[in-house]
Short mmCIF file of all heavy atoms in Angstrom, two decimals:
data_model
loop_
_atom_site.label_atom_id
_atom_site.label_comp_id
_atom_site.label_asym_id
_atom_site.label_seq_id
_atom_site.Cartn_x
_atom_site.Cartn_y
_atom_site.Cartn_z
N LEU A 290 149.65 71.66 93.85
CA LEU A 290 148.24 72.12 93.78
C LEU A 290 147.76 72.00 92.31
O LEU A 290 146.58 71.77 91.96
CB LEU A 290 148.09 73.48 94.21
CG LEU A 290 148.26 73.75 95.72
CD1 LEU A 290 148.13 75.18 96.11
CD2 LEU A 290 147.28 72.87 96.48
N ILE A 291 148.74 72.28 91.36
CA ILE A 291 148.33 71.98 89.88
C ILE A 291 148.04 70.46 89.67
O ILE A 291 146.93 70.06 89.04
CB ILE A 291 149.56 72.32 88.97
CG1 ILE A 291 149.59 73.90 88.95
CG2 ILE A 291 149.24 71.78 87.56
CD1 ILE A 291 150.88 74.40 88.29
N GLN A 292 148.75 69.64 90.28
CA GLN A 292 148.58 68.15 90.29
C GLN A 292 147.12 67.78 90.84
O GLN A 292 146.38 67.13 90.31
CB GLN A 292 149.56 67.35 91.01
CG GLN A 292 149.48 65.89 90.89
CD GLN A 292 149.88 65.27 89.59
OE1 GLN A 292 149.49 65.76 88.48
NE2 GLN A 292 150.72 64.30 89.52
N ALA A 293 146.78 68.54 91.90
CA ALA A 293 145.50 68.16 92.53
C ALA A 293 144.37 68.54 91.56
O ALA A 293 143.32 68.00 91.49
CB ALA A 293 145.39 69.05 93.86
N VAL A 294 144.51 69.84 90.90
CA VAL A 294 143.47 70.28 89.94
C VAL A 294 143.32 69.31 88.86
O VAL A 294 142.21 68.94 88.38
CB VAL A 294 143.91 71.64 89.42
CG1 VAL A 294 142.92 72.02 88.23
CG2 VAL A 294 143.81 72.68 90.48
N LEU A 295 144.42 68.78 88.32
CA LEU A 295 144.38 67.83 87.26
C LEU A 295 143.63 66.48 87.81
O LEU A 295 142.87 65.89 86.97
CB LEU A 295 145.80 67.36 86.86
CG LEU A 295 146.65 68.49 86.11
CD1 LEU A 295 148.05 67.98 85.96
CD2 LEU A 295 145.94 68.91 84.83
N LEU A 296 143.80 66.05 88.88
CA LEU A 296 143.16 64.98 89.40
C LEU A 296 141.68 65.23 89.75
O LEU A 296 140.78 64.33 89.58
CB LEU A 296 143.93 64.46 90.71
CG LEU A 296 145.15 63.75 90.53
CD1 LEU A 296 146.08 63.84 91.83
CD2 LEU A 296 145.04 62.35 90.11
N LEU A 297 141.27 66.39 90.09
CA LEU A 297 139.82 66.74 90.22
C LEU A 297 139.22 66.65 88.89
O LEU A 297 137.95 66.43 89.00
CB LEU A 297 139.77 68.12 90.81
CG LEU A 297 140.16 68.36 92.27
CD1 LEU A 297 140.20 69.89 92.66
CD2 LEU A 297 139.18 67.59 93.17
N ASP A 298 139.86 66.85 87.87
CA ASP A 298 139.24 66.75 86.50
C ASP A 298 138.77 65.23 86.29
O ASP A 298 137.92 65.01 85.67
CB ASP A 298 140.11 67.17 85.49
CG ASP A 298 139.42 67.12 84.11
OD1 ASP A 298 138.43 67.81 83.87
OD2 ASP A 298 139.98 66.43 83.16
N PHE A 299 139.66 64.33 86.82
CA PHE A 299 139.37 62.92 86.74
C PHE A 299 138.09 62.69 87.54
O PHE A 299 137.29 61.84 87.12
CB PHE A 299 140.45 62.09 87.17
CG PHE A 299 141.55 61.77 86.16
CD1 PHE A 299 142.44 62.78 85.99
CD2 PHE A 299 141.55 60.79 85.36
CE1 PHE A 299 143.56 62.57 85.14
CE2 PHE A 299 142.51 60.45 84.41
CZ PHE A 299 143.54 61.45 84.37
N ALA A 300 137.91 63.29 88.71
CA ALA A 300 136.78 63.12 89.62
C ALA A 300 135.53 63.73 88.83
O ALA A 300 134.48 63.15 88.99
CB ALA A 300 136.90 63.77 90.92
N ARG A 364 144.02 60.99 79.03
CA ARG A 364 144.07 62.00 80.09
C ARG A 364 144.98 61.43 81.11
O ARG A 364 145.35 62.23 81.93
CB ARG A 364 142.69 62.36 80.60
CG ARG A 364 141.92 63.37 79.85
CD ARG A 364 140.80 63.96 80.63
NE ARG A 364 139.84 62.83 80.86
CZ ARG A 364 139.09 62.83 82.03
NH1 ARG A 364 139.27 63.62 83.01
NH2 ARG A 364 138.28 61.79 82.13
N LEU A 367 148.32 63.23 81.76
CA LEU A 367 148.38 64.46 82.27
C LEU A 367 148.86 64.49 83.75
O LEU A 367 149.47 65.44 84.23
CB LEU A 367 146.99 65.10 82.46
CG LEU A 367 146.33 65.49 81.02
CD1 LEU A 367 144.92 66.02 81.22
CD2 LEU A 367 147.20 66.49 80.28
N VAL A 368 148.70 63.43 84.49
CA VAL A 368 149.23 63.31 85.87
C VAL A 368 150.53 62.77 86.08
O VAL A 368 151.10 62.79 87.11
CB VAL A 368 148.14 62.40 86.77
CG1 VAL A 368 146.71 63.07 86.78
CG2 VAL A 368 148.21 61.02 86.29
N ILE A 371 154.26 65.60 86.72
CA ILE A 371 154.70 66.07 88.06
C ILE A 371 155.06 64.91 88.85
O ILE A 371 156.07 65.01 89.59
CB ILE A 371 153.43 66.79 88.64
CG1 ILE A 371 153.15 68.12 87.81
CG2 ILE A 371 153.66 67.11 90.02
CD1 ILE A 371 151.91 68.84 88.31
#
Side-chain angles (χ1 to χ4, degrees):
L290 293 180
I291 292 175
Q292 183 77 309
V294 170
L295 293 173
L296 288 158
L297 286 173
D298 183 60
F299 279 85
R364 281 191 298 144
L367 295 176
V368 300
I371 291 174

